PDB file of all heavy atoms in Angstrom:
ATOM      1  N   ARG B   1       0.575  -1.944  -5.172  1.00  0.00           N
ATOM      2  CA  ARG B   1       0.466  -1.090  -6.390  1.00  0.00           C
ATOM      3  C   ARG B   1       0.466  -1.888  -7.646  1.00  0.00           C
ATOM      4  O   ARG B   1      -0.393  -1.635  -8.546  1.00  0.00           O
ATOM      5  CB  ARG B   1       1.581  -0.045  -6.390  1.00  0.00           C
ATOM      6  CG  ARG B   1       1.728   0.701  -7.755  1.00  0.00           C
ATOM      7  CD  ARG B   1       0.499   1.625  -8.008  1.00  0.00           C
ATOM      8  NE  ARG B   1       0.488   2.199  -9.335  1.00  0.00           N
ATOM      9  CZ  ARG B   1       1.026   3.402  -9.598  1.00  0.00           C
ATOM     10  NH1 ARG B   1       1.644   4.125  -8.645  1.00  0.00           N
ATOM     11  NH2 ARG B   1       0.971   3.869 -10.809  1.00  0.00           N
ATOM     12  N   ARG B   2       1.335  -2.869  -7.733  1.00  0.00           N
ATOM     13  CA  ARG B   2       1.411  -3.660  -8.977  1.00  0.00           C
ATOM     14  C   ARG B   2       0.182  -4.493  -9.155  1.00  0.00           C
ATOM     15  O   ARG B   2      -0.372  -4.690 -10.287  1.00  0.00           O
ATOM     16  CB  ARG B   2       2.679  -4.523  -8.952  1.00  0.00           C
ATOM     17  CG  ARG B   2       2.959  -5.133 -10.357  1.00  0.00           C
ATOM     18  CD  ARG B   2       3.254  -4.060 -11.357  1.00  0.00           C
ATOM     19  NE  ARG B   2       3.265  -4.551 -12.722  1.00  0.00           N
ATOM     20  CZ  ARG B   2       2.630  -3.982 -13.733  1.00  0.00           C
ATOM     21  NH1 ARG B   2       2.015  -2.764 -13.540  1.00  0.00           N
ATOM     22  NH2 ARG B   2       2.672  -4.473 -14.953  1.00  0.00           N
ATOM     23  N   LEU B   3      -0.328  -5.151  -8.093  1.00  0.00           N
ATOM     24  CA  LEU B   3      -1.544  -5.897  -8.116  1.00  0.00           C
ATOM     25  C   LEU B   3      -2.732  -5.030  -8.513  1.00  0.00           C
ATOM     26  O   LEU B   3      -3.584  -5.427  -9.300  1.00  0.00           O
ATOM     27  CB  LEU B   3      -1.805  -6.577  -6.789  1.00  0.00           C
ATOM     28  CG  LEU B   3      -0.912  -7.757  -6.484  1.00  0.00           C
ATOM     29  CD1 LEU B   3      -1.058  -8.156  -4.959  1.00  0.00           C
ATOM     30  CD2 LEU B   3      -1.251  -8.991  -7.339  1.00  0.00           C
ATOM     31  N   TRP B   4      -2.789  -3.819  -7.999  1.00  0.00           N
ATOM     32  CA  TRP B   4      -3.836  -2.862  -8.349  1.00  0.00           C
ATOM     33  C   TRP B   4      -3.784  -2.535  -9.864  1.00  0.00           C
ATOM     34  O   TRP B   4      -4.790  -2.585 -10.570  1.00  0.00           O
ATOM     35  CB  TRP B   4      -3.737  -1.622  -7.513  1.00  0.00           C
ATOM     36  CG  TRP B   4      -4.692  -0.481  -7.917  1.00  0.00           C
ATOM     37  CD1 TRP B   4      -4.403   0.594  -8.689  1.00  0.00           C
ATOM     38  CD2 TRP B   4      -6.063  -0.398  -7.568  1.00  0.00           C
ATOM     39  NE1 TRP B   4      -5.477   1.393  -8.815  1.00  0.00           N
ATOM     40  CE2 TRP B   4      -6.546   0.829  -8.141  1.00  0.00           C
ATOM     41  CE3 TRP B   4      -6.868  -1.148  -6.790  1.00  0.00           C
ATOM     42  CZ2 TRP B   4      -7.799   1.252  -7.965  1.00  0.00           C
ATOM     43  CZ3 TRP B   4      -8.212  -0.724  -6.639  1.00  0.00           C
ATOM     44  CH2 TRP B   4      -8.682   0.435  -7.211  1.00  0.00           C
ATOM     45  N   ASP B   5      -2.588  -2.249 -10.378  1.00  0.00           N
ATOM     46  CA  ASP B   5      -2.414  -1.936 -11.752  1.00  0.00           C
ATOM     47  C   ASP B   5      -2.817  -3.083 -12.669  1.00  0.00           C
ATOM     48  O   ASP B   5      -3.360  -2.860 -13.787  1.00  0.00           O
ATOM     49  CB  ASP B   5      -0.981  -1.516 -12.076  1.00  0.00           C
ATOM     50  CG  ASP B   5      -0.606  -0.168 -11.491  1.00  0.00           C
ATOM     51  OD1 ASP B   5      -1.501   0.583 -11.094  1.00  0.00           O
ATOM     52  OD2 ASP B   5       0.572   0.146 -11.442  1.00  0.00           O
ATOM     53  N   ARG B   6      -2.561  -4.311 -12.209  1.00  0.00           N
ATOM     54  CA  ARG B   6      -2.873  -5.486 -12.978  1.00  0.00           C
ATOM     55  C   ARG B   6      -4.331  -5.947 -12.828  1.00  0.00           C
ATOM     56  O   ARG B   6      -4.789  -6.883 -13.527  1.00  0.00           O
ATOM     57  CB  ARG B   6      -1.981  -6.655 -12.582  1.00  0.00           C
ATOM     58  CG  ARG B   6      -0.523  -6.544 -12.950  1.00  0.00           C
ATOM     59  CD  ARG B   6       0.350  -7.509 -12.205  1.00  0.00           C
ATOM     60  NE  ARG B   6      -0.025  -8.882 -12.325  1.00  0.00           N
ATOM     61  CZ  ARG B   6       0.641  -9.847 -13.029  1.00  0.00           C
ATOM     62  NH1 ARG B   6       1.753  -9.492 -13.634  1.00  0.00           N
ATOM     63  NH2 ARG B   6       0.211 -11.121 -13.051  1.00  0.00           N
ATOM     64  N   GLY B   7      -5.114  -5.245 -11.964  1.00  0.00           N
ATOM     65  CA  GLY B   7      -6.506  -5.607 -11.797  1.00  0.00           C
ATOM     66  C   GLY B   7      -6.643  -6.906 -11.011  1.00  0.00           C
ATOM     67  O   GLY B   7      -7.701  -7.518 -11.001  1.00  0.00           O
ATOM     68  N   GLU B   8      -5.667  -7.269 -10.195  1.00  0.00           N
ATOM     69  CA  GLU B   8      -5.668  -8.529  -9.481  1.00  0.00           C
ATOM     70  C   GLU B   8      -5.690  -8.366  -7.952  1.00  0.00           C
ATOM     71  O   GLU B   8      -5.678  -9.383  -7.220  1.00  0.00           O
ATOM     72  CB  GLU B   8      -4.414  -9.385  -9.860  1.00  0.00           C
ATOM     73  CG  GLU B   8      -4.405  -9.683 -11.349  1.00  0.00           C
ATOM     74  CD  GLU B   8      -3.000 -10.253 -11.808  1.00  0.00           C
ATOM     75  OE1 GLU B   8      -2.144 -10.403 -10.960  1.00  0.00           O
ATOM     76  OE2 GLU B   8      -2.863 -10.493 -12.959  1.00  0.00           O
ATOM     77  N   LEU B   9      -5.717  -7.092  -7.431  1.00  0.00           N
ATOM     78  CA  LEU B   9      -5.590  -6.917  -6.024  1.00  0.00           C
ATOM     79  C   LEU B   9      -6.720  -7.504  -5.254  1.00  0.00           C
ATOM     80  O   LEU B   9      -6.517  -8.194  -4.225  1.00  0.00           O
ATOM     81  CB  LEU B   9      -5.463  -5.396  -5.768  1.00  0.00           C
ATOM     82  CG  LEU B   9      -5.313  -5.027  -4.263  1.00  0.00           C
ATOM     83  CD1 LEU B   9      -4.049  -5.670  -3.692  1.00  0.00           C
ATOM     84  CD2 LEU B   9      -5.243  -3.501  -4.097  1.00  0.00           C
ATOM     85  N   THR B  10      -7.953  -7.287  -5.675  1.00  0.00           N
ATOM     86  CA  THR B  10      -9.133  -7.693  -4.909  1.00  0.00           C
ATOM     87  C   THR B  10      -9.128  -9.228  -4.729  1.00  0.00           C
ATOM     88  O   THR B  10      -9.558  -9.726  -3.636  1.00  0.00           O
ATOM     89  CB  THR B  10     -10.403  -7.314  -5.681  1.00  0.00           C
ATOM     90  OG1 THR B  10     -10.434  -5.877  -5.769  1.00  0.00           O
ATOM     91  CG2 THR B  10     -11.664  -7.783  -4.890  1.00  0.00           C
ATOM     92  N   ALA B  11      -8.667  -9.970  -5.648  1.00  0.00           N
ATOM     93  CA  ALA B  11      -8.721 -11.443  -5.652  1.00  0.00           C
ATOM     94  C   ALA B  11      -7.495 -12.110  -4.978  1.00  0.00           C
ATOM     95  O   ALA B  11      -7.427 -13.309  -4.890  1.00  0.00           O
ATOM     96  CB  ALA B  11      -8.956 -12.012  -7.079  1.00  0.00           C
ATOM     97  N   THR B  12      -6.478 -11.310  -4.610  1.00  0.00           N
ATOM     98  CA  THR B  12      -5.263 -11.910  -4.104  1.00  0.00           C
ATOM     99  C   THR B  12      -5.282 -12.009  -2.560  1.00  0.00           C
ATOM    100  O   THR B  12      -5.673 -11.076  -1.896  1.00  0.00           O
ATOM    101  CB  THR B  12      -4.029 -11.011  -4.564  1.00  0.00           C
ATOM    102  OG1 THR B  12      -4.001 -10.986  -5.950  1.00  0.00           O
ATOM    103  CG2 THR B  12      -2.738 -11.671  -4.033  1.00  0.00           C
ATOM    104  N   ASP B  13      -4.861 -13.145  -2.086  1.00  0.00           N
ATOM    105  CA  ASP B  13      -4.723 -13.398  -0.674  1.00  0.00           C
ATOM    106  C   ASP B  13      -3.319 -12.989  -0.177  1.00  0.00           C
ATOM    107  O   ASP B  13      -2.377 -13.666  -0.468  1.00  0.00           O
ATOM    108  CB  ASP B  13      -5.045 -14.877  -0.395  1.00  0.00           C
ATOM    109  CG  ASP B  13      -4.932 -15.285   1.065  1.00  0.00           C
ATOM    110  OD1 ASP B  13      -5.064 -14.397   1.901  1.00  0.00           O
ATOM    111  OD2 ASP B  13      -4.725 -16.486   1.343  1.00  0.00           O
ATOM    112  N   LEU B  14      -3.260 -11.848   0.458  1.00  0.00           N
ATOM    113  CA  LEU B  14      -1.970 -11.276   0.852  1.00  0.00           C
ATOM    114  C   LEU B  14      -1.610 -11.516   2.340  1.00  0.00           C
ATOM    115  O   LEU B  14      -2.532 -11.541   3.210  1.00  0.00           O
ATOM    116  CB  LEU B  14      -1.937  -9.770   0.617  1.00  0.00           C
ATOM    117  CG  LEU B  14      -1.527  -9.308  -0.799  1.00  0.00           C
ATOM    118  CD1 LEU B  14      -1.956  -7.881  -1.045  1.00  0.00           C
ATOM    119  CD2 LEU B  14      -0.030  -9.415  -1.018  1.00  0.00           C
ATOM    120  N   ALA B  15      -0.346 -11.638   2.607  1.00  0.00           N
ATOM    121  CA  ALA B  15       0.175 -11.725   3.926  1.00  0.00           C
ATOM    122  C   ALA B  15       1.406 -10.829   4.055  1.00  0.00           C
ATOM    123  O   ALA B  15       1.977 -10.449   3.046  1.00  0.00           O
ATOM    124  CB  ALA B  15       0.538 -13.127   4.388  1.00  0.00           C
ATOM    125  N   LEU B  16       1.748 -10.396   5.284  1.00  0.00           N
ATOM    126  CA  LEU B  16       2.928  -9.480   5.480  1.00  0.00           C
ATOM    127  C   LEU B  16       3.774 -10.017   6.590  1.00  0.00           C
ATOM    128  O   LEU B  16       3.259 -10.321   7.687  1.00  0.00           O
ATOM    129  CB  LEU B  16       2.398  -8.082   5.799  1.00  0.00           C
ATOM    130  CG  LEU B  16       3.474  -7.052   6.197  1.00  0.00           C
ATOM    131  CD1 LEU B  16       4.442  -6.818   5.081  1.00  0.00           C
ATOM    132  CD2 LEU B  16       2.817  -5.732   6.639  1.00  0.00           C
ATOM    133  N   VAL B  17       5.059 -10.173   6.302  1.00  0.00           N
ATOM    134  CA  VAL B  17       6.054 -10.471   7.367  1.00  0.00           C
ATOM    135  C   VAL B  17       7.007  -9.304   7.362  1.00  0.00           C
ATOM    136  O   VAL B  17       7.768  -9.073   6.428  1.00  0.00           O
ATOM    137  CB  VAL B  17       6.785 -11.757   7.072  1.00  0.00           C
ATOM    138  CG1 VAL B  17       7.865 -12.021   8.135  1.00  0.00           C
ATOM    139  CG2 VAL B  17       5.843 -12.944   7.045  1.00  0.00           C
ATOM    140  N   PRO B  18       6.979  -8.521   8.417  1.00  0.00           N
ATOM    141  CA  PRO B  18       7.781  -7.234   8.421  1.00  0.00           C
ATOM    142  C   PRO B  18       9.264  -7.436   8.546  1.00  0.00           C
ATOM    143  O   PRO B  18       9.745  -8.106   9.465  1.00  0.00           O
ATOM    144  CB  PRO B  18       7.223  -6.442   9.672  1.00  0.00           C
ATOM    145  CG  PRO B  18       6.621  -7.479  10.543  1.00  0.00           C
ATOM    146  CD  PRO B  18       6.171  -8.621   9.648  1.00  0.00           C
ATOM    147  N   LEU B  19      10.016  -6.949   7.575  1.00  0.00           N
ATOM    148  CA  LEU B  19      11.456  -6.984   7.619  1.00  0.00           C
ATOM    149  C   LEU B  19      12.070  -5.599   7.157  1.00  0.00           C
ATOM    150  O   LEU B  19      13.147  -5.605   6.661  1.00  0.00           O
ATOM    151  CB  LEU B  19      11.978  -8.114   6.691  1.00  0.00           C
ATOM    152  CG  LEU B  19      12.360  -9.377   7.344  1.00  0.00           C
ATOM    153  CD1 LEU B  19      12.899 -10.386   6.278  1.00  0.00           C
ATOM    154  CD2 LEU B  19      13.423  -9.250   8.469  1.00  0.00           C
ATOM    155  N   GLY B  20      11.266  -4.583   7.290  1.00  0.00           N
ATOM    156  CA  GLY B  20      11.742  -3.275   6.930  1.00  0.00           C
ATOM    157  C   GLY B  20      12.311  -2.472   8.062  1.00  0.00           C
ATOM    158  O   GLY B  20      12.495  -3.011   9.159  1.00  0.00           O
ATOM    159  N   THR B  21      12.556  -1.235   7.882  1.00  0.00           N
ATOM    160  CA  THR B  21      13.114  -0.346   8.981  1.00  0.00           C
ATOM    161  C   THR B  21      11.994   0.311   9.767  1.00  0.00           C
ATOM    162  O   THR B  21      12.171   0.639  10.906  1.00  0.00           O
ATOM    163  CB  THR B  21      14.063   0.671   8.419  1.00  0.00           C
ATOM    164  OG1 THR B  21      13.413   1.431   7.386  1.00  0.00           O
ATOM    165  CG2 THR B  21      15.301   0.077   7.809  1.00  0.00           C
ATOM    166  N   GLY B  22      10.830   0.553   9.098  1.00  0.00           N
ATOM    167  CA  GLY B  22       9.744   1.231   9.809  1.00  0.00           C
ATOM    168  C   GLY B  22       8.645   0.324  10.184  1.00  0.00           C
ATOM    169  O   GLY B  22       8.158   0.295  11.319  1.00  0.00           O
ATOM    170  N   ASN B  23       8.176  -0.507   9.240  1.00  0.00           N
ATOM    171  CA  ASN B  23       7.064  -1.488   9.488  1.00  0.00           C
ATOM    172  C   ASN B  23       5.837  -0.843  10.104  1.00  0.00           C
ATOM    173  O   ASN B  23       5.202  -1.386  11.000  1.00  0.00           O
ATOM    174  CB  ASN B  23       7.604  -2.604  10.409  1.00  0.00           C
ATOM    175  CG  ASN B  23       8.803  -3.314   9.775  1.00  0.00           C
ATOM    176  OD1 ASN B  23       8.775  -3.676   8.609  1.00  0.00           O
ATOM    177  ND2 ASN B  23       9.834  -3.571  10.567  1.00  0.00           N
ATOM    178  N   ASP B  24       5.474   0.350   9.613  1.00  0.00           N
ATOM    179  CA  ASP B  24       4.395   1.065  10.231  1.00  0.00           C
ATOM    180  C   ASP B  24       3.022   0.414   9.980  1.00  0.00           C
ATOM    181  O   ASP B  24       2.186   0.422  10.859  1.00  0.00           O
ATOM    182  CB  ASP B  24       4.413   2.525   9.768  1.00  0.00           C
ATOM    183  CG  ASP B  24       5.504   3.305  10.416  1.00  0.00           C
ATOM    184  OD1 ASP B  24       5.413   3.474  11.682  1.00  0.00           O
ATOM    185  OD2 ASP B  24       6.434   3.714   9.754  1.00  0.00           O
ATOM    186  N   PHE B  25       2.779  -0.108   8.780  1.00  0.00           N
ATOM    187  CA  PHE B  25       1.494  -0.708   8.562  1.00  0.00           C
ATOM    188  C   PHE B  25       1.275  -1.976   9.364  1.00  0.00           C
ATOM    189  O   PHE B  25       0.199  -2.265   9.862  1.00  0.00           O
ATOM    190  CB  PHE B  25       1.287  -1.000   7.068  1.00  0.00           C
ATOM    191  CG  PHE B  25      -0.233  -1.172   6.726  1.00  0.00           C
ATOM    192  CD1 PHE B  25      -1.073  -0.111   6.780  1.00  0.00           C
ATOM    193  CD2 PHE B  25      -0.684  -2.429   6.410  1.00  0.00           C
ATOM    194  CE1 PHE B  25      -2.443  -0.275   6.523  1.00  0.00           C
ATOM    195  CE2 PHE B  25      -2.070  -2.614   6.130  1.00  0.00           C
ATOM    196  CZ  PHE B  25      -2.925  -1.494   6.186  1.00  0.00           C
ATOM    197  N   ALA B  26       2.363  -2.720   9.570  1.00  0.00           N
ATOM    198  CA  ALA B  26       2.291  -3.870  10.445  1.00  0.00           C
ATOM    199  C   ALA B  26       1.846  -3.472  11.857  1.00  0.00           C
ATOM    200  O   ALA B  26       1.046  -4.155  12.537  1.00  0.00           O
ATOM    201  CB  ALA B  26       3.647  -4.648  10.471  1.00  0.00           C
ATOM    202  N   ARG B  27       2.360  -2.359  12.329  1.00  0.00           N
ATOM    203  CA  ARG B  27       1.983  -1.865  13.593  1.00  0.00           C
ATOM    204  C   ARG B  27       0.506  -1.549  13.721  1.00  0.00           C
ATOM    205  O   ARG B  27      -0.182  -1.909  14.677  1.00  0.00           O
ATOM    206  CB  ARG B  27       2.759  -0.559  13.978  1.00  0.00           C
ATOM    207  CG  ARG B  27       4.252  -0.701  14.056  1.00  0.00           C
ATOM    208  CD  ARG B  27       4.934   0.671  14.140  1.00  0.00           C
ATOM    209  NE  ARG B  27       6.349   0.577  13.885  1.00  0.00           N
ATOM    210  CZ  ARG B  27       7.272   0.397  14.830  1.00  0.00           C
ATOM    211  NH1 ARG B  27       6.887   0.308  16.085  1.00  0.00           N
ATOM    212  NH2 ARG B  27       8.553   0.324  14.525  1.00  0.00           N
ATOM    213  N   THR B  28      -0.029  -0.954  12.667  1.00  0.00           N
ATOM    214  CA  THR B  28      -1.451  -0.613  12.662  1.00  0.00           C
ATOM    215  C   THR B  28      -2.355  -1.843  12.704  1.00  0.00           C
ATOM    216  O   THR B  28      -3.340  -1.868  13.410  1.00  0.00           O
ATOM    217  CB  THR B  28      -1.821   0.238  11.405  1.00  0.00           C
ATOM    218  OG1 THR B  28      -1.209   1.520  11.598  1.00  0.00           O
ATOM    219  CG2 THR B  28      -3.342   0.409  11.275  1.00  0.00           C
ATOM    220  N   VAL B  29      -1.996  -2.864  11.936  1.00  0.00           N
ATOM    221  CA  VAL B  29      -2.876  -4.077  11.813  1.00  0.00           C
ATOM    222  C   VAL B  29      -2.539  -5.147  12.867  1.00  0.00           C
ATOM    223  O   VAL B  29      -3.178  -6.199  12.857  1.00  0.00           O
ATOM    224  CB  VAL B  29      -2.914  -4.644  10.437  1.00  0.00           C
ATOM    225  CG1 VAL B  29      -3.421  -3.615   9.427  1.00  0.00           C
ATOM    226  CG2 VAL B  29      -1.512  -5.116   9.976  1.00  0.00           C
ATOM    227  N   GLY B  30      -1.549  -4.906  13.713  1.00  0.00           N
ATOM    228  CA  GLY B  30      -1.316  -5.825  14.817  1.00  0.00           C
ATOM    229  C   GLY B  30      -0.394  -6.988  14.456  1.00  0.00           C
ATOM    230  O   GLY B  30      -0.388  -7.969  15.223  1.00  0.00           O
TER     231      GLY B  30
END
């Protein structure tokens, strides 16, 4: 959300390491 608001989301190389209680999006993308 913050990257989107700043206009920087498209150009940012993101990674995810799940450490939450649900981690549902990590499940979807494998």
